[in-house]
Amino acid sequence: MSTDVAGIAADRLRSFVERVERLESEIADLNTDKAEVYQEAKAQGFDVPALKALISERRKRGKNPAKFEEAVTILDLYRDAVDGGALVATRARMSHEAEGRA
């Protein structure tokens, strides 16, 4: 009886291992596809690091928009503090110019 239980457990374990291995193979294939898309974008003249940053930003915003906006606000405050107010001044100027066009 104990041998049957061990056999069942071994079969389950083998199944889990094979499923994970199959998923890892699929992930590797998808990562290859993704790299090809980035290469194509680069060949078309797009900046790949900027493209990756944009995709990362969209992913974070999609997961939790409020948390993302809070993080952006804090980052802007930190940038402004380090850059001596340049960010706030630039945004205020851009906002004023946009209002003049509206």
Side-chain angles (χ1 to χ4, degrees):
M1 185 87 169
S2 174
T3 307
D4 291 338
V5 172
I8 292 171
D11 288 343
R12 281 187 174 165
L13 178 60
R14 187 176 304 108
S15 174
F16 287 130
V17 168
E18 290 171 353
R19 286 170 52 196
V20 169
E21 288 173 340
R22 189 171 41 257
L23 290 169
E24 286 176 346
S25 176
E26 291 174 18
I27 289 169
D29 291 343
L30 290 171
N31 283 332
T32 298
D33 293 346
K34 185 168 67 170
E36 290 173 3
V37 172
Y38 283 127
Q39 289 172 353
E40 183 179 343
K42 183 177 180 179
Q44 295 284 325
F46 291 97
D47 183 274
V48 173
L51 181 59
K52 288 180 178 183
L54 176 61
I55 291 166
S56 175
E57 180 180 294
R58 289 170 51 92
R59 181 184 318 114
K60 291 174 186 174
R61 180 181 287 129
K63 285 182 181 178
N64 188 336
K67 186 175 181 181
F68 175 81
E69 292 303 325
E70 179 183 356
V72 168
T73 300
I74 292 169
L75 183 58
D76 284 347
L77 288 171
Y78 287 4
R79 282 183 180 139
D80 193 51
V82 170
D83 295 338
L87 179 64
V88 170
T90 301
R91 288 209 173 142
R93 181 179 44 79
M94 292 172 64
S95 176
H96 179 69
E97 290 171 358
E99 289 173 5
R101 285 180 277 178

